[in-house]
Amino acid sequence: MRIALLSTDGRDDIVEGYIKFAERFWPDRPWPIEVIAGDPEGSYSQRISSYLKSIPDEVLMMAIDDFWPYQSVDQKAIDRAYNYIVNRKSVGAIHLLHCTSTEPSCPDLPGFKFIGVQDADRSSNGAFLTRRQYMLEITEKIGPTLSEVQDAGIIGMTYWERHANEVGAKWEVLCPEPNNPVFQRINAACEAQWRHDTIPLVAKFGIDLDMTKRPLWDGTYPHGDILAAL
């Protein structure tokens, strides 16, 4: 079991922040963090597919570099979810962040709900356990349909997620019930810039992290504009 941390080149300081917050707020984490870095403008689908084919794990956790673990992470709940997905080959993913599923609770995994194909939360969203075959199937079906612009770096990540439910419809997917916080986090950056509350939060906890490598977020979404035009 490993944690695959998605990132892009030039975001080493954000990755370092994730790891240091994990050390502070997720001390009972039993799995190593492995960074999947790549060209910010390179193919997102190709990066994911190549990585998944290079590892033996049938189940792994995937995360995004700027969704830092914070306040509390319920390792026991994650362990229960991990055992559930390992023992049921029909389950493609179990999300660890809060979601808005419209489906019923899962009787065999207390504290979690199923996610319907119609629910937007079915796609990946920053912290989830996944079966390698599920991710490969989605990536290999979506990847060839994308243009170079649609599959580029951060754009590709978001575009890919928007279409994941369509391709992964035959798989079961679960997420925590609203009253069952499993993976609490802060979104440390936006558009590769620090959010305004990130710097004082790092200082508050005395975490040694160089915050001078990137500016504060200016409130604009250049990647959002590109996505809207696709």
Side-chain angles (χ1 to χ4, degrees):
M1 177 67 181
R2 70 191 74 197
I3 299 166
L5 187 63
L6 292 166
S7 188
T8 59
D9 287 348
R11 292 169 65 108
D12 291 350
D13 52 332
I14 298 180
V15 168
E16 184 182 359
Y18 183 101
I19 293 171
K20 289 188 173 183
F21 265 65
E23 290 171 349
R24 175 67 63 89
F25 298 104
W26 193 7
D28 54 349
R29 168 182 52 84
W31 308 312
I33 296 173
E34 191 167 86
V35 181
I36 312 175
D39 184 342
E41 302 307 321
S43 166
Y44 174 76
S45 297
Q46 192 173 70
R47 185 192 321 170
I48 294 296
S49 181
S50 296
Y51 173 75
L52 292 170
K53 290 177 180 177
S54 74
I55 62 173
D57 311 51
E58 285 308 311
V59 176
L60 67 154
M61 177 179 169
M62 301 200 74
I64 295 176
D65 58 1
D66 57 356
F67 281 17
W68 295 354
Y70 176 51
Q71 294 184 321
S72 69
V73 177
D74 189 344
Q75 183 61 48
K76 290 182 179 179
I78 296 175
D79 290 342
R80 289 195 301 272
Y82 175 76
N83 289 331
Y84 184 86
I85 192 173
V86 164
N87 291 310
R88 290 167 176 79
K89 294 189 179 297
S90 60
V91 180
I94 301 179
H95 295 251
L96 305 177
L97 292 171
H98 170 71
C99 73
T100 56
S101 169
T102 60
E103 297 297 304
S105 298
C106 175
D108 297 319
L109 184 60
F112 288 80
K113 298 182 68 173
F114 292 105
I115 304 179
V117 176
Q118 74 282 358
D119 292 323
D121 297 301
R122 190 178 179 89
S123 64
S124 63
N125 61 358
F128 60 106
L129 304 177
T130 184
R131 190 170 292 281
R132 186 167 67 113
Q133 184 57 38
Y134 169 79
M135 291 292 287
L136 275 172
E137 179 182 312
I138 290 175
T139 306
E140 292 180 346
K141 285 187 177 179
I142 292 179
T145 71
L146 304 180
S147 68
E148 186 174 340
V149 173
Q150 291 169 334
D151 196 27
I154 292 173
I155 303 301
M157 183 183 296
T158 305
Y159 195 91
W160 181 92
E161 289 176 347
R162 288 181 176 179
H163 293 270
N165 3 355
E166 305 164 18
V167 180
K170 73 182 181 72
W171 293 88
E172 292 178 16
V173 180
L174 294 91
C175 68
E177 292 179 332
N179 60 351
N180 183 39
V182 173
F183 189 97
Q184 297 191 65
R185 51 87 174 174
I186 62 164
N187 194 355
C190 185
E191 296 291 341
Q193 300 170 336
W194 295 126
R195 289 185 177 271
H196 286 255
D197 54 355
T198 304
I199 293 177
L201 188 67
V202 169
K204 173 183 175 182
F205 292 107
I207 293 175
D208 180 20
L209 186 64
D210 184 357
M211 310 292 287
T212 66
K213 295 181 179 180
R214 60 188 66 248
L216 288 174
W217 182 44
D218 63 8
T220 62
Y221 290 96
H223 292 117
D225 292 341
I226 296 173
L227 279 165
L230 293 175

